[in-house]
Amino acid sequence: MHRQLMRIFRLYLLVGGMPQAVETYLEQNNLQVVDEVKREIVDLYEEDFTKIDGAGLAGDIYDSIPASLSGNASRYILATAREGIRTEKVRELIPDLLSSYTVNIAYHANNPGIGMALEKDPGRYKLFTSDTGLFVTLAFKDKKYTENVIYNKLLSDKLDANLGYVYENAVAQMLTVKGHNLFYYTLNSDSSNHLYEIDFLISERDKISPIEVKSGNYRSHKSLDMFSDKFSRRIGDKYVLHIKDYKWENGIHYLPVYMVPFIYA
């Protein structure tokens, strides 16, 4: 049952939720044709973005979301959108992008706790697309079209690529739909210069719950362990979202990623 649910979930990641894409898949059962429909939707988005910003920067910001996330950066990297652009210029466009409902945003929580929104860092954030199906199309936009073989390998989880950022975008989408404001947190190791990151933090009653997203080895979660040691009194439930079946171990909920909608809201 779990394997079947994961296959259905991966199919959703590829098709997404845009009505035109869903209808095309149901009618033709051809993921390449679905991708072509999604590319048309992205083109329409980019046309609309020129109404926000005539210089085309808003469209560049949207297009570069997968590249920024795949680089494992602790914030949105402006150079992935347009080299030499000023931080202030991008920040001016963020409210309009959010109002278009094409992107979701996660702010860095400077002081993880119930009042995270009061102490967020407005200059340190990550952007996600509001539809993961469009995210996948953007991620493979370097080709004229995404061949069915790529989609089929993605569907069967056999593509030789780190797809953690695809799952991360999907989790951001699901948490947003559940009504959560998105926050993340980074911390340095005492013994090295390595930066550890909690992918998402959500409020649950009077506690916060850290969430790590894993597309591969879920047994190693140094970021979650360090965060738990540092903020033990503030933490409610702890989650590792992965592609395996559910289990509870050492105070951590290991949830298959399709169970995100059942996390407390």
Side-chain angles (χ1 to χ4, degrees):
M1 183 179 70
H2 166 73
R3 287 195 296 270
Q4 178 64 13
L5 287 172
M6 274 305 306
R7 182 177 174 82
I8 292 170
F9 183 76
R10 285 195 295 268
L11 178 60
Y12 172 75
L13 297 184
L14 301 178
V15 175
M18 301 301 291
Q20 304 98 310
V22 174
E23 183 178 5
T24 300
Y25 177 76
L26 293 176
E27 289 179 351
Q28 301 195 37
N29 192 27
N30 187 311
L31 290 169
Q32 180 177 312
V33 178
V34 171
D35 184 71
E36 291 168 358
V37 169
K38 290 190 294 173
R39 286 171 187 263
E40 292 175 0
I41 295 172
V42 170
D43 290 342
L44 290 174
Y45 277 9
E46 291 176 344
E47 288 181 19
D48 288 341
F49 287 146
T50 60
K51 301 173 185 176
I52 297 175
D53 164 51
L57 178 58
D60 290 345
I61 293 171
Y62 182 79
D63 283 355
S64 65
I65 288 175
S68 184
L69 288 179
S70 67
N72 293 320
S74 62
R75 67 181 73 196
Y76 183 82
I77 303 299
L78 304 181
T80 59
R82 186 179 296 180
E83 189 173 352
I85 199 67
R86 292 183 299 109
T87 302
E88 294 79 8
K89 182 60 179 177
V90 174
R91 284 176 58 182
E92 290 172 4
L93 294 173
I94 294 299
D96 288 328
L97 284 170
L98 294 175
S99 296
S100 72
Y101 296 102
T102 57
V103 303
N104 296 317
I105 191 167
Y107 286 102
H108 188 271
N110 291 340
N111 184 20
I114 292 303
M116 287 185 288
L118 300 175
E119 299 189 54
K120 70 184 181 185
D121 188 341
R124 196 172 180 183
Y125 54 85
K126 290 188 174 185
L127 294 177
F128 305 89
T129 66
S130 58
D131 183 273
T132 302
L134 297 183
F135 180 94
V136 170
T137 292
L138 289 172
F140 292 97
K141 203 178 178 185
D142 57 322
K143 294 181 177 291
K144 203 167 188 179
Y145 60 83
T146 303
E147 295 100 328
N148 239 336
V149 63
I150 293 179
Y151 268 97
N152 288 332
K153 286 188 176 182
L154 280 168
L155 183 59
S156 59
D157 203 23
K158 293 181 179 178
L159 186 65
D160 185 19
N162 179 10
L163 298 180
Y165 58 98
V166 178
Y167 288 104
E168 189 177 343
N169 193 92
V171 171
Q173 179 184 338
M174 289 186 283
L175 290 175
T176 299
V177 170
K178 287 285 289 183
H180 292 289
N181 293 319
L182 304 180
F183 298 95
Y184 68 101
Y185 186 74
T186 55
L187 61 165
N188 289 304
S189 169
D190 293 334
S191 59
S192 69
N193 293 324
H194 186 76
L195 195 65
Y196 292 92
E197 180 177 303
I198 298 298
D199 294 317
F200 298 103
L201 291 168
I202 60 174
S203 298
E204 293 188 335
R205 301 183 180 90
D206 60 342
K207 300 288 186 179
I208 57 172
S209 293
I211 298 173
E212 270 207 65
V213 183
K214 297 284 189 179
S215 62
N217 179 18
Y218 66 91
R219 298 182 184 279
S220 174
H221 37 71
K222 181 69 173 177
S223 299
L224 184 62
D225 296 338
M226 291 180 62
F227 184 85
S228 300
D229 290 341
K230 186 173 183 178
F231 298 105
S232 58
R233 294 185 178 180
R234 305 183 188 185
I235 294 175
D237 292 316
K238 294 181 285 187
Y239 299 98
V240 171
L241 305 179
H242 62 150
I243 59 176
K244 303 296 184 181
D245 210 342
Y246 172 81
K247 73 172 181 176
W248 162 265
E249 186 176 86
N250 297 326
I252 299 174
H253 293 281
Y254 292 86
L255 288 181
V257 66
Y258 54 76
M259 289 186 69
V260 170
F262 299 100
I263 292 178
Y264 177 85

